[in-house]
Amino acid sequence: MQRVADDDWVAEIGEQLPVSPLSALGLFLAALIGVRLAGEQLSNRALLESVFPLLAATAVVFADRWLVARDVSTRDRLTVFGYGLGGFLAAFLVTALHLYVLYLEETGARAPLYLLLMGGTVGVGAGTVAGIYEIRQRAATREAKRQSERLEEFASVVSHDLRNPLSVAQGRLRAAFTSGDPEHLHEVDAALTRMDELIDESLSVARSGTQVEDPYEVPLVELASEAWTVVETDDATYEVVGDRPLRVDPKRAKQLFENCYRNAIEHGREDVHVRVGPCDGGFFVADDGPGIPEDERDAVLEQGYSTSAEGSGLGLAIVRAVADAHGWRVTITESESGGARFEFTRGG
């Protein structure tokens, strides 16, 4: 819990800054280069000497914008900034020492300033590249861990949850052969259908753990509405109380909404009312059903947990898996009407 609190603090500080620290560092370097060019009155020598540092500083700013465009978390962007700043300071100090020992008396007053600036700019560029590599490695490690957990959960379902309907099918089939009563075959068919559902849901959990590679913006109202049309809603109703663009894989995001709807309908009244809308940092799905006890809110997202004898315990596990793949944090609270409220926000 302490690690989560630390992440929240880092994310909150990062979001309060007027401009991203890495972009600010690149712009600062570009400004220094601009001051030097102005002081040299845009001479050919000054322009030639400043081309590389200016390109490096610009590349740092674009690298940060690229991270933002790919929805990289605030914590990871601050990690890249730390690498960039460390590279800047290291290169600046090394260049300063080099000039002091070897060239200070020979190069005059202007050249050392340019060489220090160039060294620092090269350093921040190299540090930024190292930082991006670091966060990509972290992401790969986290994804490998998630996939391992998904495979373990899938194996658990195959070895445990499928055993019950398989035993029923085997027993009824033997009874059909012994008695010749074809009614037993109806039970065999029902058991096999149940096994098929469990396999599909388990595969969905396992596959949903992968990262989203090519997301694009889709309106919240579009995702919520299309998902509602494919769910057996009976007398249930829903409304979308606001809209915002979400950067998602639409197919998998709709699966999240579908399972949230099914959960509300299966565990609520026949005429349960579902509300969807934006919230601070993301969106929510809420209902006016019986709600989820506070001491069970973490457990319901785990695979295999169900309060219904007929439930597979996979619906909300799929919700969690899709949320993880998009980098969303799932929080369960109580809705305004006393039901369940699922909030999906950026993990930070």
Side-chain angles (χ1 to χ4, degrees):
M1 294 297 293
Q2 182 62 42
R3 177 60 181 274
V4 172
D6 291 343
D7 288 353
D8 289 341
W9 177 80
V10 171
E12 182 179 352
I13 294 298
E15 294 295 341
Q16 290 177 351
L17 295 175
V19 64
S20 175
L22 187 60
S23 290
L25 181 58
L27 292 172
F28 170 73
L29 290 171
L32 288 181
I33 295 169
V35 169
R36 180 176 184 272
L37 286 173
E40 294 287 332
Q41 297 180 348
L42 300 178
S43 66
N44 290 336
R45 176 184 174 185
L47 285 172
L48 183 62
E49 291 177 344
S50 302
V51 167
F52 183 76
L54 186 59
L55 288 176
T58 304
V60 168
V61 176
F62 276 105
D64 184 57
R65 294 301 88 195
W66 177 78
L67 294 173
V68 172
R70 292 183 64 87
D71 283 336
V72 175
S73 69
T74 302
R75 183 180 183 84
D76 282 344
R77 296 205 309 273
L78 289 176
T79 296
V80 176
F81 166 72
Y83 271 82
L85 182 60
F88 173 80
L89 294 175
F92 189 90
L93 291 174
V94 169
T95 304
L97 181 62
H98 187 64
L99 290 172
Y100 180 79
V101 173
L102 299 178
Y103 300 112
L104 186 60
E105 295 182 358
E106 301 177 11
T107 55
R110 299 178 193 174
L113 177 62
Y114 162 70
L115 291 175
L116 287 171
L117 180 61
M118 181 174 181
T121 305
V122 171
V124 72
T128 299
V129 171
I132 292 175
Y133 176 79
E134 170 67 17
I135 64 172
R136 287 176 69 88
Q137 290 297 106
R138 289 184 188 176
T141 301
R142 289 194 298 266
E143 181 58 24
K145 182 178 180 181
R146 281 198 295 265
Q147 284 299 301
S148 177
E149 292 171 351
R150 298 289 183 272
L151 290 173
E152 289 179 4
E153 292 172 348
F154 180 70
S156 174
V157 171
V158 172
S159 64
H160 180 270
D161 292 9
L162 289 179
R163 192 178 301 277
N164 292 331
L166 179 61
S167 298
V168 170
Q170 290 173 332
R172 292 291 184 173
L173 189 59
R174 284 194 297 268
F177 278 119
T178 302
S179 66
D181 186 354
E183 287 298 321
H184 291 295
L185 297 180
H186 292 294
E187 297 297 331
V188 173
D189 181 66
L192 293 177
T193 299
R194 180 58 176 158
M195 291 174 63
D196 185 58
E197 292 174 352
L198 285 170
I199 290 171
D200 286 343
E201 290 177 340
S202 299
L203 285 173
S204 182
V205 172
R207 290 167 179 166
S208 294
T210 57
Q211 289 181 304
V212 175
E213 296 295 336
D214 297 305
Y216 57 90
E217 288 192 350
V218 181
L220 170 62
V221 64
E222 179 181 321
L223 292 169
S225 300
E226 291 184 3
W228 184 262
T229 62
V230 299
V231 176
E232 294 183 9
T233 56
D234 297 324
D235 295 327
T237 57
Y238 94 111
E239 65 174 323
V240 181
V241 296
D243 198 12
R244 76 180 310 164
L246 298 176
R247 192 172 181 82
V248 298
D249 175 339
K251 181 178 179 180
R252 293 162 70 183
K254 289 173 190 174
Q255 190 179 29
L256 178 148
F257 283 100
E258 290 169 19
N259 280 279
C260 284
Y261 296 156
R262 290 192 185 98
N263 180 74
I265 294 168
E266 291 172 3
H267 297 281
R269 306 184 312 275
E270 292 183 358
D271 61 345
V272 67
H273 182 67
V274 180
R275 298 172 71 247
V276 179
C279 65
D280 186 20
F283 63 95
F284 72 88
V285 179
D287 62 61
D288 61 355
I292 300 174
E294 188 172 354
D295 58 350
E296 296 181 16
R297 290 173 183 171
D298 289 334
V300 296
L301 296 173
E302 299 299 325
Q303 181 166 309
Y305 185 92
S306 177
T307 58
S308 170
E310 299 298 323
S312 65
L314 296 174
L316 292 181
I318 293 172
V319 169
R320 186 200 62 182
V322 174
D324 285 348
H326 284 84
W328 297 331
R329 177 180 299 158
V330 187
T331 304
I332 303 176
T333 59
E334 183 176 313
S335 68
E336 295 178 356
S337 54
R341 175 184 170 106
F342 292 79
E343 293 187 356
F344 301 88
T345 55
R346 278 292 164 194

